[in-house]
Amino acid sequence: MSSHDDGEGPRTGTDGVAAPASPGSPAPAARPAPAARLRGLRNDILPLLTPGGVRGALVEAIWCSAHLAIYPFGLVRERPEPGDRYALEGLGPRQRGLAARDIEAAGTPILLVHGMVDNRAIFTVLKRGLRKRGFGRVVTINYSPVTNDIRQAAGDLAIEVEALVAQTGYERIHVVGHSLGGLIARYYVQRLGGHERVHTLVTLGSPHAGTLTARLLPVNLCRQLRPGSDLYAELAEPAETCRTRFVAYWSDLDQMILPHGNARLDHTDLYVRNVRVHGVGHMTLPLDGQVVHEISAVLSQLDWDGTTLSAGVTPLLEDTVVPRRRLPRPLSAT
């Protein structure tokens, strides 16, 4: 579902599910011409003028203020938490349900990777939501705020993943990356053999095809994030052995990814589900209650293609529309 609405329709919807292309399939369509890209950029501005866009901008401002207040706490390294459970005592109904239905899904570690010049505090709501829904081990990490090379950051992520695998005993984990964190994780999965360790990669507002805002600063990291850079040419290379499933959330109110559609992930060798989110800003994506709910539904299913098999769980198929829910309250009110 890719059409814009007036802010009163569903807030999320699957707008594309792409399975790996079979041998001999036609090559992907060529990139649009500059004039077409400019028209697309102009269309990106239209949702900002709708009631839903204005409401989303206000919510984004509230969340940013709350995030700035807790940002210093995220600079402290996360304390290890006990994540292994062998009994259901002390678990709430939702936690008990996931553990009883699929103990492997409940125990599979989830690694959260933040974005540029940020820290693990951005995942306060998402981590709490995943734990409440029965996921026993949710881990956040911090990487350097002055990171200037995506390839090097992906190598550092590989070390963190191997440490988590050794600590938990699980051979494969899930990764959720916000903004730059999602692109770092994608490079690790595609180019550094991370598909052997990552079962599912969820990206939130990640510049999978670059962003025009990267032209604002003449530093190496921003040069890598510009559309058509050498980094993106490398990521466009064949990845026939990659068996990680991808879910990419992109928003029509994302202030950092321009054009907005560049947060979609399109690659003929990857199994990808692109999910459009309406009226949610860049910093609000990992805090939005509906997004948290959908990520929980995705990670509770370990089938390779990301479809939902259990009754009573939100289906994750083509043309799925999730009913509108009330916006989450800001951190100060929770």
Side-chain angles (χ1 to χ4, degrees):
M1 182 181 69
S2 57
S3 60
H4 298 301
D5 58 50
D6 60 0
E8 302 304 325
R11 290 181 53 234
T12 65
T14 298
D15 65 0
V17 178
S22 57
S25 58
R31 285 276 182 184
R37 290 200 297 268
L38 289 177
R39 287 194 297 270
L41 186 60
R42 181 181 59 190
N43 292 336
D44 282 345
I45 300 176
L46 296 180
L48 305 179
L49 307 178
T50 65
V54 174
R55 181 172 60 246
L58 292 175
V59 173
E60 176 85 346
I62 294 173
W63 279 121
C64 286
S65 299
H67 181 51
L68 286 175
I70 65 174
Y71 184 92
F73 298 99
L75 297 173
V76 181
R77 187 174 180 86
E78 183 179 50
R79 291 182 300 176
E81 297 181 4
D84 295 326
R85 289 183 177 271
Y86 299 95
L88 299 180
E89 289 79 6
L91 297 179
R94 282 188 292 184
Q95 293 174 308
R96 185 187 297 266
L98 178 60
R101 184 178 69 249
D102 193 335
I103 189 65
E104 183 178 359
T108 299
I110 303 172
L111 182 63
L112 309 180
V113 186
H114 62 77
M116 184 188 301
V117 198
D118 207 344
N119 60 41
R120 63 186 185 84
I122 191 67
F123 292 121
T124 300
V125 173
L126 177 58
K127 180 178 179 179
R128 182 168 53 201
L130 292 171
R131 293 299 297 264
K132 284 176 59 178
R133 288 166 173 82
F135 296 96
R137 190 180 293 274
V138 185
V139 179
T140 58
I141 60 171
N142 284 341
Y143 59 87
S144 173
V146 295
T147 294
N148 199 34
D149 183 72
I150 291 175
R151 296 178 178 91
Q152 179 180 346
D156 295 339
L157 177 61
I159 297 174
E160 295 283 354
V161 171
E162 290 300 325
L164 183 58
V165 167
Q167 178 186 9
T168 63
Y170 280 79
E171 293 184 356
R172 304 190 78 194
I173 69 171
H174 303 308
V175 176
V176 180
H178 175 234
S179 191
L180 180 64
L183 188 62
I184 292 172
R186 178 189 169 190
Y187 189 92
Y188 161 62
V189 168
Q190 276 189 242
R191 306 300 300 171
L192 303 182
H195 63 93
E196 296 289 348
R197 293 298 191 200
V198 179
H199 180 285
T200 303
L201 172 57
V202 178
T203 65
L204 306 171
S206 297
H208 289 297
T211 174
L212 297 180
T213 57
R215 299 187 181 277
L216 298 177
L217 294 175
V219 298
N220 182 61
L221 178 61
C222 289
R223 284 191 288 270
Q224 291 180 337
L225 294 176
R226 293 170 186 172
S229 70
D230 292 342
L231 180 87
Y232 290 111
E234 187 178 353
L235 288 173
E237 293 178 4
E240 297 175 355
T241 61
C242 184
R243 57 195 185 105
T244 296
R245 65 174 180 177
F246 296 82
V247 182
Y249 288 87
W250 66 282
S251 171
D252 58 11
L253 193 63
D254 196 318
Q255 309 90 339
M256 300 302 297
I257 310 301
L258 295 174
H260 297 143
N262 281 12
R264 290 172 48 93
L265 175 51
D266 298 305
H267 194 294
T268 56
D269 290 333
L270 305 178
Y271 190 96
V272 183
R273 189 170 67 91
N274 288 298
V275 182
R276 171 186 174 270
V277 183
H278 174 71
V280 177
H282 185 76
M283 298 299 292
T284 311
L285 276 169
L287 309 168
D288 182 77
Q290 192 68 34
V291 173
V292 173
H293 170 75
E294 286 201 17
I295 291 175
S296 301
V298 169
L299 300 185
S300 67
Q301 300 296 320
L302 296 182
D303 49 304
W304 74 273
D305 62 355
T307 55
T308 296
L309 304 179
S310 299
V313 181
T314 303
L316 303 174
L317 300 173
E318 293 92 338
D319 301 324
T320 295
V321 176
V322 181
R324 168 178 287 278
R325 299 177 66 188
R326 295 180 61 185
L327 292 171
R329 294 177 295 172
L331 286 173
S332 58
T334 58

